[in-house]
């Protein structure tokens, strides 16, 4: 709220925050399990166009380990799975049982072998293609053998959903298909199918990729590339332990917007919490930030993530809408734009 006409009194308790001015009172109750640390309150100030700002530390029990989803943990050997198009729900691969589920090495593994071997690279002519009972997992995709699938095609051809025409992946060879994690829903054959709003699914999967890679490789800068080879976004991961809280009874919590026909956040008046990552980003479409993109692409400390070009544009829209939902003073940092992405 924007208080200007009279003195403001701010009260902070373990389970609530109240702002009084004149005869009005704004209260923000917290969702169950979330508490405030009143002694941590600092930085109370009024900014024109923003309203009141203050900083508080939130206290919440850590999430259970089994609630943290990763693609590698979701796929197990000796189990049957069904693969759906995330956009329309059509079945793409039915009742596939894997004998092996294996992670792929990093993209530059072959170059690293050459550095470590004192003789000719013994893997120079080898390709890592899955057999019929294999599933190979990459950073943003998984590889399946398509020997019995109807969409076999030439190399580097796009794999399209027959129902909604969404790009799901591409053929790597005559018998290997690469599916992107942002385009597929994987469920056990005996499980029930449920859809997830498109924008929520995209940002969740991308956030998980950022968290996993930053943890495994201490990498915090990423280029988001399309299947056309172009860089669409530069992302700098600030932290992966952000907690977003939507409080009931407060007009301050009403930044609700719609993406691709689905609701991103809970409606005003609802309470909820979301785990999120905080990122800085720069768009690179239309030759924007070309020099910075070129510098990042040649930097060994930057990791590249590849998605379908259409998904990169969706992600850029999600980032932009999230930035505009922030107070103006919090939207930029050192020429980068700020965004919180839920997962």
């Amino acid at each position: 709220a924007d208080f200007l006409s009279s003195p403001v009194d701010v009260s902070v308790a373990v389970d609530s925050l109240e702002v009084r001015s004149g005869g009005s009172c704004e209260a923000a109750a917290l969702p169950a399990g979330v508490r405030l640390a009143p002694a941590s309150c600092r930085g109370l100030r009024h900014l024109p166009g923003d309203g009141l700002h203050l900083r508080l530390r939130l206290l919440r029990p850590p999430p259970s380990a089994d609630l943290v989803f990763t693609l590698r943990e979701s796929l197990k050997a000796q189990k049957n799975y069904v693969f759906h198009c995330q956009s329309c729900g059509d079945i793409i691969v039915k009742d596939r049982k894997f004998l092996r589920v294996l992670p792929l090495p990093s993209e530059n593994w072959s170059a690293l072998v050459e550095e470590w071997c004192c003789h000719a690279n013994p893997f120079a002519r080898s390709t890592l293609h899955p057999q019929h009972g294999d599933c190979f997992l990459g950073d943003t995709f998984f590889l399946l053998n398509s020997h019995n699938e109807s969409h076999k095609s030439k190399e580097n051809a796009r794999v399209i959903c027959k129902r909604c025409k969404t790009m799901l992946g591409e053929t790597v060879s005559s018998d290997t298909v690469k599916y992107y994690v942002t385009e597929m829903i994987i469920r056990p054959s005996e499980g029930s199918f449920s859809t997830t709003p498109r924008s929520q699914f995209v940002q969740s999967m991308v956030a998980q990729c950022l968290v996993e890679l930053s943890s495994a490789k201490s990498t915090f800068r990423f280029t988001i590339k399309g299947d056309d080879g172009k860089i669409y976004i530069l992302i700098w991961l600030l932290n992966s332990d952000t907690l977003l809280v939507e409080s009931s009874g407060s007009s301050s919590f009403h930044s609700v917007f719609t993406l691709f026909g689905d609701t991103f956040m809970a409606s005003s008046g609802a309470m909820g919490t979301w785990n999120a990552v905080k990122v800085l980003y720069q768009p690179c479409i239309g030759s924007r930030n070309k020099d910075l993109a070129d510098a990042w692409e040649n930097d060994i400390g930057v990791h590249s993530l590849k998605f379908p070009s259409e998904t990169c544009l969706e992600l850029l829209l999600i980032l932009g809408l999230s930035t505009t939902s922030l107070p103006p003073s919090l939207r930029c940092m050192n020429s980068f734009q700020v965004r919180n992405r839920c997962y």
Side-chain angles (χ1 to χ4, degrees):
D2 200 352
F3 298 98
L4 290 173
S5 59
S6 59
V8 176
D9 180 54
V10 179
S11 300
V12 180
V14 173
D15 59 352
S16 66
L17 185 151
E18 292 184 350
V19 180
R20 294 184 178 87
S21 178
S24 64
C25 177
E26 296 266 354
L30 297 176
V34 178
R35 294 291 181 265
L36 299 175
S40 67
C41 182
R42 58 187 177 87
L44 179 61
R45 56 177 175 162
H46 177 274
L47 293 179
D50 280 10
L52 290 176
H53 279 237
L54 60 86
R55 291 183 177 273
L56 279 169
R57 188 167 70 249
L58 291 175
L59 304 176
R60 189 188 67 161
S64 174
D66 59 359
L67 294 180
V68 180
F69 170 86
T70 64
L71 181 64
R72 287 172 173 79
E73 294 173 352
S74 69
L75 285 171
K76 303 290 184 182
Q78 305 301 329
K79 288 189 176 182
N80 285 43
Y81 293 94
V82 179
F83 296 73
H84 296 263
C85 169
Q86 197 281 324
S87 296
C88 71
D90 195 28
I91 294 178
I92 307 302
V93 180
K94 187 175 182 180
D95 291 330
R96 178 68 68 88
K97 183 177 182 179
F98 298 117
L99 302 178
R100 300 188 302 173
V101 179
L102 303 172
L104 286 166
S106 59
E107 292 183 2
N108 60 345
W109 71 274
S110 183
L112 293 176
V113 170
E114 292 180 353
E115 293 293 331
W116 282 94
C117 287
C118 58
H119 50 276
N121 183 353
F123 307 108
R125 297 183 180 180
S126 300
T127 54
L128 298 176
H129 289 174
Q131 301 302 310
H132 180 65
D134 295 340
C135 178
F136 292 172
L137 303 175
D139 293 336
T140 64
F141 62 88
F142 49 91
L143 299 181
L144 298 183
N145 185 282
S146 61
H147 179 69
N148 294 330
E149 305 298 332
S150 60
H151 51 57
K152 286 195 300 180
S153 183
K154 60 183 180 180
E155 271 188 58
N156 302 321
R158 288 182 143 209
V159 176
I160 307 296
C161 175
K162 294 179 180 178
R163 177 189 289 177
C164 68
K165 309 307 179 185
T166 296
M167 179 191 173
L168 305 174
E170 56 195 74
T171 56
V172 177
S173 68
S174 60
D175 61 357
T176 302
V177 177
K178 173 197 291 185
Y179 291 109
Y180 290 102
V181 298
T182 53
E183 314 308 316
M184 303 286 284
I185 292 178
I186 306 170
R187 66 173 180 86
S189 297
E190 66 277 8
S192 59
F193 174 74
S194 60
T195 60
T196 302
R198 176 64 183 165
S199 59
Q200 180 182 336
F201 185 83
V202 168
Q203 65 176 321
S204 175
M205 295 307 297
V206 174
Q208 289 172 42
C209 290
L210 298 180
V211 171
E212 289 184 35
L213 286 169
S214 65
S215 175
K217 302 182 179 182
S218 296
T219 298
F220 304 98
R221 289 183 296 161
F222 302 87
T223 58
I224 304 299
K225 280 188 175 181
D227 61 285
D228 56 5
K230 297 179 181 178
I231 295 178
Y232 283 76
I233 314 169
L234 307 178
I235 289 182
W236 197 322
L237 178 63
L238 290 184
N239 59 57
S240 57
D241 59 355
T242 297
L243 179 67
L244 296 182
V245 176
E246 176 110 357
S247 172
S248 65
S250 173
S251 60
S252 300
F253 297 89
H254 58 70
S255 54
V256 179
F257 49 86
T258 300
L259 306 175
F260 317 116
D262 59 291
T263 302
F264 169 70
M265 295 287 278
S267 60
S268 182
M271 284 194 298
T273 61
W274 294 264
N275 292 314
V277 297
K278 180 173 286 187
V279 301
L280 304 178
Y281 71 96
Q282 288 277 22
C284 296
I285 59 174
S287 299
R288 293 181 62 184
N289 299 304
K290 185 179 185 305
D291 291 342
L292 183 59
D294 291 342
W296 278 37
E297 190 166 25
N298 295 322
D299 191 329
I300 60 173
V302 177
H303 194 85
S304 179
L305 298 177
K306 182 179 177 182
F307 299 101
S309 300
E310 295 87 347
T311 301
C312 295
L313 293 174
E314 288 179 329
L315 179 61
L316 188 56
L317 178 58
I318 292 170
L319 291 168
L321 289 174
S322 177
T323 297
T324 58
S325 72
L326 296 172
S329 64
L330 301 179
R331 294 177 186 175
C332 294
M333 180 185 294
N334 297 334
S335 79
F336 279 78
Q337 298 179 69
V338 181
R339 194 267 192 244
N340 292 317
R341 180 186 294 131
C342 301
Y343 64 99

